[in-house]
Amino acid sequence: MIEKVIEGIFNLKKIPAKFIAVLCAVSAVLLFAPEFFITKLNLAKFNNEYGSYIGIIFLISSGFTLIAVVTAIYNQIRGYFLKKRIKKMVEESLQSLTFHEQAVLREFFIEGKDVIELPFHDPVVVSLLNKHLVFQVSNSGLVKYGDAFFSCRITDYARKRMNYETISLPRNNDKTSTEWVLNNRPTWAKRQQRHDDIMNMW
């Protein structure tokens, strides 16, 4: 039984990190707790019979636990600086959007939705994804117009720092401004609008 426990410790994929931490804590108690405490728990006989195994379990589990703690701390620090870098990238990207990138981002405002379908292989959409300005919210999509469309939304950090000027969206709702916005929509959006208009005729 003890042999199987030791063998199992080496297979981290099958044993949760929490269980390894528990093994570390239990084996530490068995090794370092006062004798009267071990006797109180009726574990003295067990400790005498399997003491060498318990020591091995403690060394292995404590090593894994230490690695897990160090890794978690490293990931937290790395995540903090990664978020800072991404935020800086978002702020810089919003100040240097291309005309076509602005057109795609305007679609969220034209449709009045937080989530819209975007062509996943469109170079402009790929650019916005790489700049962390939009992100995919669904793993399932539809194939139309020769591309796969997936549900996407603007990242919260980018949305909070976006204004009318950022995406060249006119503040006025007059006819000239409205026509300019509609005429400068992405090709796939115009195609979708024509399709919707035709369907609404029936």
Side-chain angles (χ1 to χ4, degrees):
M1 177 180 132
I2 294 296
E3 291 84 350
K4 291 183 179 180
V5 172
I6 294 176
E7 181 182 350
I9 291 177
F10 286 97
N11 195 339
L12 291 177
K13 293 183 179 179
K14 293 184 178 181
I15 300 182
K18 289 182 179 180
F19 181 73
I20 294 177
V22 170
L23 280 179
C24 179
V26 172
S27 59
V29 170
L30 293 174
L31 288 174
F32 305 112
E35 188 175 342
F36 76 88
F37 183 75
I38 299 298
T39 303
K40 193 76 173 177
L41 294 176
N42 293 321
L43 293 174
K45 183 179 179 181
F46 179 87
N47 221 5
N48 291 331
E49 292 182 2
Y50 301 106
S52 57
Y53 291 111
I54 295 171
I56 294 173
I57 291 174
F58 172 74
L59 290 175
I60 295 174
S61 61
S62 60
F64 285 147
T65 302
L66 179 61
I67 291 173
V69 171
V70 172
T71 301
I73 294 173
Y74 169 78
N75 289 336
Q76 287 289 332
I77 296 174
R78 181 173 177 272
Y80 170 77
F81 286 104
L82 180 61
K83 285 181 180 179
K84 287 192 66 175
R85 190 174 69 181
I86 291 175
K87 288 179 179 179
K88 183 179 180 181
M89 179 191 299
V90 169
E91 292 173 357
E92 292 176 349
S93 298
L94 287 176
Q95 301 304 317
S96 58
L97 291 171
T98 66
F99 176 80
H100 297 292
E101 289 173 339
Q102 291 177 340
V104 172
L105 292 174
R106 282 198 298 268
E107 287 301 306
F108 289 89
F109 296 86
I110 292 174
E111 296 193 26
K113 299 177 181 178
D114 290 330
V115 178
I116 65 173
E117 291 182 344
L118 297 178
F120 215 61
H121 297 99
D122 184 280
V124 180
V125 175
V126 172
S127 176
L128 293 173
L129 287 165
N130 290 336
K131 292 178 179 179
H132 301 281
L133 296 178
V134 300
F135 67 98
Q136 182 183 339
V137 298
S138 173
N139 291 324
S140 59
L142 298 174
V143 177
K144 51 185 179 180
Y145 317 133
D147 200 351
F149 281 67
F150 288 88
S151 297
C152 298
R153 65 173 294 171
I154 300 175
T155 59
D156 292 336
Y157 190 80
R159 190 71 180 247
K160 291 177 182 178
R161 283 151 184 80
M162 194 178 295
N163 52 43
Y164 286 88
E165 287 73 23
T166 305
I167 56 176
S168 297
L169 184 65
R171 291 183 178 273
N172 300 323
N173 293 324
D174 55 79
K175 183 178 179 181
T176 302
S177 298
T178 301
E179 288 182 351
W180 182 88
V181 170
L182 295 179
N183 289 334
N184 288 284
R185 297 181 72 183
T187 302
W188 51 266
K190 292 180 181 178
R191 192 177 300 171
Q192 180 65 50
Q193 186 59 55
R194 287 195 297 270
H195 177 269
D196 293 341
D197 291 342
I198 293 174
M199 295 302 295
N200 290 332
M201 292 175 61
W202 297 93

